[in-house]
Amino acid sequence: MQMLKDVVYWGIAFSLILSLSWSAEETKKEKEQESEKLECNDKEEFSETKHQIVINGQPVAYRAVAGTLILKDEKCKPKASMFYISYHKEGVDNLSERPITFCFNGGPGSSSVWLHLGVLGPKRVFLNENGDALPPYRLVDNEFSILDETDLVFIDPVSTGFSRAIPPDDAKHFHGVEEDIKSVAEFIRLYITRNQRWESPKFIAGESYGTTRAAGLAGYLHDEYYVYTNGIILISSVLNFQSLDFDAGNDLSYLLFLPTYTATAWYHKKLSPDLQENFLNTLQAARDFVINDYSQALFKGDLLTSAERQRVVTQLARFTGLSPDYIDRSNLRIKMTHFAKELLRDQRRTVGRFDSRFKGIDSNAVGARFEYDPSAEAIFGAFTATMNQYIETDLKWTKDAHYKILTDVQPWDYGIANQYLNVGETLRSVMTKNPFLRVFVGNGYYDLATPFFATEYTFNHLGLDESMSGHVTMKDYEGGHMMYIYRPSLIKLKSDLASFYEQTLMNQEREEEEGESVRR
């Protein structure tokens, strides 16, 4: 009898365990399915809110929209859901006279949060004057927004922000130079169609790899959709990747990083007293050294005499703040990661890649490279926290999906073999075909990711016709890759961008009138 009771007891217990296990498994599956629905939503959604901000002492009422556009293939099958946040000034009677700017960051694999909450949008992350984010993190009205000059659309490329491939496993089909450009171009075509903005002046703004996308996008829009761009804004540019890669046999990057090493050493007071006196003069001296001496020395290679080599070692030490012995042992070639570790080694500190004003602390002072980028760590948390809070509370976009500030999109298909990606030729071509197009370029002096002298080199080698020499405006700023986190540079950048918009549109209007006069 007892045995029978035991069998019944254990049978009930076993059934209960199975039931609980099954229930837990079903709950898990339901959560996974719900999560998959969030990731694979093939229906367009949006949330619209209204706000007001004061810019240059004038109130600007605007409409904000957080939403998605669905990209479809030739058979009308959804292939991607692209998330965006747009801002449109209220009370505009004639949209054909109101510019619209499509904005994005780079990575590849970055959402548009940096340009959005750092400089262009109506809200910005609160930072101290130097660019430090101090908790508790919060947003403030951005009195330096360019919303007074243009409507804004911040685009998150596929796999960033809330943008996803449909189905998610197809994301790899968007992870490449050409694929990325085509998807963003299709988004823009859809957006200007849905919002009746075909006649509006159109601008593109990109930062970092976003400048690569911007140049390629301007060409693709022009050639494939006949969408002519009025202006391109390039912040912390990289158009020619040979200028950045420290590969064996590629001496160009060593030359182009040198003036940023000089700027960094100047900031940390590692140069001789005469070079510390005048920042701009010192940078020009560094440029001259690269052009007249350093480039020739690297070109000669082993043909350098001992005396010539010693002179170059001495000058490199003078312009970098590094020891002659270190430079000699580096074979006159200093990689960025090595410089960031070596400059302040005696203080057991490193300098940042995105912004070399920032200092980091490694676990030891004997390694060859820094362990982390202190300039990234200084702001990434603040931008992530405020963006997530802003989307849900201010923009009323309430989703459980992960807003991906930065994500891994590797391997990225650069679409080339045995050469460096260079979209400079694409930019030259579209600027030549569209004589009304103007380009604004912003550089940070302390940017060790995309150094200012590399950008200068790229634009000096575009091969633009002499008649187009005034079609590019280039400005330099104190600060790094995101120079706008430094308040004085934020203020200056706003002023420069406002002038760029106004002059671009004014020049185009004048040129159209002159063309009409000639035709008469």
Side-chain angles (χ1 to χ4, degrees):
M1 188 67 180
Q2 183 60 41
M3 182 179 295
L4 180 61
K5 289 182 179 179
D6 289 345
V7 169
V8 172
Y9 171 79
W10 285 111
I12 294 172
F14 185 65
S15 298
L16 182 59
I17 291 171
L18 282 177
S19 175
L20 291 172
S21 176
W22 179 84
S23 177
E25 187 64 28
E26 285 298 300
T27 301
K28 181 181 177 182
K29 285 182 179 179
E30 288 174 4
K31 288 183 177 180
E32 288 175 350
Q33 290 171 356
E34 183 63 29
S35 175
E36 188 174 340
K37 288 178 184 177
L38 291 169
E39 295 286 315
C40 305
N41 193 348
D42 60 359
K43 293 182 175 60
E44 293 184 349
E45 300 176 278
F46 73 93
S47 172
E48 182 176 322
T49 53
K50 295 191 176 184
H51 312 264
Q52 182 168 295
I53 189 175
V54 175
I55 303 175
N56 290 331
Q58 299 297 317
V60 177
Y62 64 92
R63 172 172 54 91
V65 177
T68 57
L69 282 184
I70 301 298
L71 306 189
K72 297 180 180 180
D73 62 18
E74 297 82 358
K75 297 180 180 179
C76 291
K77 181 180 178 182
K79 60 182 180 180
S81 172
M82 291 189 68
F83 181 75
Y84 68 91
I85 297 174
S86 65
Y87 302 99
H88 297 265
K89 184 179 178 181
E90 297 275 52
V92 176
D93 296 325
N94 188 355
L95 290 178
S96 67
E97 296 180 355
R98 174 70 174 169
I100 185 167
T101 303
F102 296 93
C103 318
F104 38 73
N105 279 86
S110 174
S111 66
S112 61
V113 64
W114 317 106
L115 285 179
H116 187 173
L117 299 185
V119 56
L120 301 181
K123 296 285 186 179
R124 62 181 174 86
V125 177
F126 178 76
L127 306 169
N128 66 14
E129 179 153 319
N130 192 56
D132 296 295
L134 307 175
Y137 306 130
R138 60 190 174 93
L139 291 180
V140 295
D141 283 347
N142 183 14
E143 66 272 40
F144 309 113
S145 170
I146 59 167
L147 186 56
D148 56 336
E149 302 287 342
T150 176
D151 291 339
L152 298 163
V153 184
F154 294 93
I155 305 169
D156 290 332
V158 174
S159 298
T160 74
F162 289 134
S163 298
R164 301 290 187 270
I166 302 173
D169 287 345
D170 285 350
K172 58 182 178 293
H173 298 313
F174 296 88
H175 296 169
V177 176
E178 294 298 327
E179 298 86 348
D180 173 73
I181 287 171
K182 289 178 181 178
S183 63
V184 176
E186 174 64 4
F187 173 94
I188 291 175
R189 186 199 66 79
L190 269 174
Y191 192 92
I192 61 177
T193 298
R194 300 274 186 86
N195 292 274
Q196 296 83 50
R197 301 305 293 264
W198 274 91
E199 295 181 348
S200 298
K202 300 169 193 67
F203 289 74
I204 299 172
E207 180 181 318
S208 194
Y209 180 84
T211 63
T212 310
R213 180 186 294 121
L217 185 60
Y220 188 86
L221 286 170
H222 185 284
D223 294 344
E224 297 298 323
Y225 295 136
Y226 300 106
V227 173
Y228 288 18
T229 306
N230 297 73
I232 303 175
I233 297 166
L234 305 176
I235 303 298
S236 303
S237 300
V238 51
L239 305 184
N240 178 0
F241 280 70
Q242 185 180 4
S243 67
L244 301 186
D245 291 334
F246 294 96
D247 296 326
N250 177 35
D251 284 336
L252 185 61
S253 55
Y254 297 102
L255 302 171
L256 300 180
F257 272 74
L258 189 279
T260 303
Y261 296 163
T262 302
T264 304
W266 180 91
Y267 181 84
H268 293 288
K269 297 180 171 52
K270 300 292 286 187
L271 300 180
S272 59
D274 62 312
L275 291 180
Q276 290 288 158
E277 286 181 3
N278 188 298
F279 179 64
L280 295 181
N281 287 349
T282 295
L283 289 191
Q284 189 55 51
R287 289 185 181 96
D288 293 341
F289 166 66
V290 171
I291 295 170
N292 299 321
D293 300 299
Y294 190 25
S295 57
Q296 294 184 36
L298 295 191
F299 183 83
K300 282 186 175 182
D302 291 341
L303 295 178
L304 271 180
T305 66
S306 296
E308 288 173 330
R309 182 183 178 91
Q310 188 54 50
R311 282 197 296 271
V312 173
V313 166
T314 300
Q315 286 293 86
L316 278 174
R318 174 172 163 78
F319 282 114
T320 62
L322 305 180
S323 72
D325 177 65
Y326 183 86
I327 290 168
D328 189 46
R329 287 186 288 112
S330 299
N331 196 25
L332 312 183
R333 293 164 176 83
I334 308 158
K335 293 183 178 181
M336 182 279 294
T337 51
H338 294 172
F339 174 82
K341 180 74 173 182
E342 184 67 21
L343 181 67
L344 303 180
R345 191 184 292 272
D346 59 339
Q347 303 174 22
R348 299 181 67 87
R349 295 294 183 269
T350 62
V351 299
R353 174 176 175 260
F354 285 127
D355 193 328
S356 61
R357 298 176 304 143
F358 288 79
K359 297 179 183 180
I361 305 174
D362 285 352
S363 61
N364 64 69
V366 298
R369 298 176 174 83
F370 59 14
E371 295 173 6
Y372 70 100
D373 181 357
S375 56
E377 296 299 330
I379 63 170
F380 280 17
F383 276 74
T384 300
T386 52
M387 185 62 172
N388 279 278
Q389 186 77 8
Y390 175 60
I391 289 173
E392 182 155 344
T393 57
D394 288 46
L395 301 182
K396 310 303 181 185
W397 181 269
T398 55
K399 305 292 178 184
D400 288 340
H402 177 199
Y403 186 86
K404 296 181 179 180
I405 298 290
L406 292 166
T407 190
D408 182 13
V409 294
Q410 300 303 323
W412 188 262
D413 182 4
Y414 284 89
I416 52 175
N418 300 320
Q419 60 179 321
Y420 294 101
L421 175 64
N422 186 355
V423 294
E425 171 56 22
T426 304
L427 182 60
R428 183 210 62 80
S429 176
V430 72
M431 291 180 70
T432 302
K433 295 173 184 175
N434 177 8
F436 297 112
L437 175 58
R438 298 294 187 272
V439 178
F440 176 91
V441 185
N443 308 312
Y445 286 126
Y446 306 113
D447 181 1
L448 284 172
T450 58
F452 65 89
F453 196 45
T455 301
E456 292 175 11
Y457 172 88
T458 298
F459 276 86
N460 288 336
H461 290 78
L462 278 188
L464 286 172
D465 185 80
E466 192 176 285
S467 64
M468 306 177 70
S469 60
H471 291 199
V472 177
T473 300
M474 187 173 296
K475 299 289 185 179
D476 297 324
Y477 301 89
E478 292 184 70
H481 200 62
M482 291 84 94
M483 73 288 290
Y484 43 80
I485 69 171
Y486 180 54
R487 185 179 176 86
S489 292
L490 172 63
I491 296 171
K492 182 175 183 293
L493 181 56
K494 162 59 197 257
S495 175
D496 291 340
L497 287 176
S499 297
F500 174 70
Y501 276 92
E502 293 162 9
Q503 291 172 9
T504 296
L505 297 176
M506 185 171 60
N507 288 339
Q508 290 170 359
E509 184 177 336
R510 184 177 64 249
E511 289 170 5
E512 288 173 359
E513 291 174 353
E514 291 174 354
E516 184 64 29
S517 177
V518 169
R519 286 190 290 274
R520 290 199 194 99

